[in-house]
Amino acid sequence: MKLRIAIQKSGRLHEDSIKLLKECGIDINNGVNKLKTEATNFPLEVFFLRDDDIPQYVEDGVADLGIVGENVVLEKNCPLQTVEKLGFGKCRLAMAVPKSMEYNSIRDLHGKRIATSYPVIVNDFLGKMGIEAEIHEISGSVEIAPGIGLAEAICDLVSSGSTLFMNGLKEVETVLRSEAILVANNKLTDEQKVLLRKLVFRIQAVKKAKNNKYVLLNAPNDKLSEIIGLLPGMKSPTVLPLAEAGWSSVHSVLNENDFWDIIESLKAAGAEGILVVPIEKMVI
Ligand code: PRT
Ligand code: ZN
């Protein structure tokens, strides 16, 4: 019994997908020029496919799992189970118009031609907004459509925004926020579900570790209670005596989001020699 997972053969999600599996302790040969490969230490077969094909392969049961952008899954409209958001491949599907166009609200898209590679999602979005527009499906280089007179607006994936900027376009509406997700076929056997739970357990440990840092600092004993009060920690911080009398070493775990605020408060409260160390896996 094994699981078969489809990941992108090459492109934006390929490396992060392989990296995630490796961080989950799954050893696979990097098979850029191969169709599939087998993990050596987990019952997992990895298929390398074009991202557009992954939802269908998983729906048909050719693969049991897939790592693919949420945008692709929604566009293909396949009945798949979303198992876990993976935190990479983040982008947004956005409407953009020429910089020179006056744009006040979505009503300005009414009656316009919109070029996109995502006709299903765009149609759904416009329908919900009560806007009637002409959708022109094109498969690549959507950003040039206004310049060549094919459309007045586009709807495309954006991450840094530099492609829009370089093509004289401005972003005006967010249609969808997307990231890579792990999807599963709805008909996994019980044995496969057990394996999937194992895999997801590992993915969650990797994700948690990425969002947290291990912090070590030195504190004068008379400031300990104030400093400990600032640290959320997993349970409560570890406090160890230093060789120098009157001082302690404090160890704890900090969430990335609170990180800078707390570090500043710690310094202000008298903490010294603050070390921040990445965590590889975190199981709580
Ligand atoms: O060959 P295959 O079909 O597998 O790959 P592909 O060329 O269709 O997809 P690929 O590798 O470009 O993208 C795979 C997935 O990465 C997408 O489905 C998204 O889920 C995710 N992703 C994240 C992005 C971007 N960010 C992104 N910026 N996909 C595409 N882009 C493109 C966008 O279309 C535009 O052309 O990048 C350009 C905009 O980038 P910025 O940084 O200039 O805003
Ligand atoms: Zn593609």
Side-chain angles (χ1 to χ4, degrees):
M1 178 51 57
K2 65 180 173 191
L3 285 173
R4 296 155 303 168
I5 188 167
I7 67 169
Q8 198 186 19
K9 184 177 166 66
S10 63
R12 284 166 200 267
L13 303 183
H14 172 78
E15 268 178 29
D16 283 332
S17 305
I18 300 260
K19 191 164 140 247
L20 177 67
L21 294 176
K22 289 205 169 132
E23 286 169 339
C24 289
I26 298 171
D27 289 333
I28 50 170
N29 308 320
N30 203 338
V32 179
N33 294 313
K34 281 199 275 174
L35 181 64
K36 60 179 182 173
T37 187
E38 197 109 17
T40 52
N41 57 356
F42 196 91
L44 189 73
E45 196 170 3
V46 184
F47 295 165
F48 300 102
L49 298 170
R50 284 200 56 201
D51 66 345
D52 315 71
D53 297 333
I54 291 176
Q56 191 68 52
Y57 274 79
V58 178
E59 186 189 345
D60 293 347
V62 177
D64 308 302
L65 308 174
I67 294 180
V68 65
E70 208 173 354
N71 51 300
V72 176
V73 177
L74 289 171
E75 181 63 26
K76 302 289 174 192
N77 214 355
C78 290
L80 302 173
Q81 187 197 340
T82 299
V83 183
E84 188 77 25
K85 294 196 176 210
L86 300 176
F88 60 84
K90 286 191 179 172
C91 57
R92 52 200 186 271
L93 185 64
M95 297 280 185
V97 298
K99 259 187 226 131
S100 55
M101 175 176 156
E102 197 186 322
Y103 188 94
N104 299 308
S105 80
I106 189 142
R107 305 239 29 106
D108 292 329
L109 294 178
H110 203 83
K112 299 286 194 310
R113 294 170 301 166
I114 303 172
T116 185
S117 310
Y118 292 88
V120 172
I121 299 176
V122 173
N123 190 42
D124 187 51
F125 175 78
L126 293 175
K128 280 189 189 131
M129 294 292 180
I131 303 295
E132 275 174 39
E134 225 178 275
I135 297 173
H136 282 254
E137 181 177 355
I138 48 177
S139 57
S141 303
V142 174
E143 64 280 357
I144 65 168
I148 59 172
L150 187 70
E152 287 79 36
I154 68 163
C155 188
D156 198 12
L157 296 176
V158 181
S159 43
S160 69
S162 67
T163 303
L164 293 183
F165 182 80
M166 284 186 314
N167 285 278
L169 301 169
K170 61 181 176 189
E171 194 174 335
V172 291
E173 302 284 343
T174 302
V175 173
L176 173 82
R177 290 191 182 279
S178 177
E179 65 185 84
I181 54 174
L182 177 69
V183 288
N185 177 285
N186 289 318
K187 297 184 217 88
L188 297 188
T189 64
D190 287 346
E191 278 172 286
Q192 286 178 318
K193 282 183 191 157
V194 172
L195 285 178
L196 175 59
R197 274 201 290 278
K198 254 189 173 176
L199 179 63
V200 170
F201 177 78
R202 294 187 189 191
I203 291 174
Q204 287 173 343
V206 170
K207 272 174 62 184
K208 268 190 211 114
K210 279 201 180 121
N211 290 332
N212 288 278
K213 299 276 180 261
Y214 194 73
V215 179
L216 304 96
L217 58 87
N218 295 331
N221 286 348
D222 59 343
K223 298 281 176 54
L224 260 182
S225 59
E226 188 185 343
I227 286 173
I228 289 171
L230 292 167
L231 291 166
M234 289 213 277
K235 232 178 184 155
S236 75
T238 309
V239 181
L240 302 164
L242 287 189
E244 188 181 332
W247 282 80
S248 298
S249 167
V250 181
H251 301 196
S252 189
V253 172
L254 277 189
N255 189 289
E256 191 121 67
N257 299 329
D258 315 324
F259 182 72
W260 288 111
D261 284 345
I262 293 185
I263 292 289
E264 276 177 26
S265 318
L266 288 171
K267 270 192 76 184
E272 289 182 11
I274 304 174
L275 296 182
V276 181
V277 188
I279 301 172
E280 196 175 310
K281 311 277 188 297
M282 194 163 148
V283 179
I284 47 175

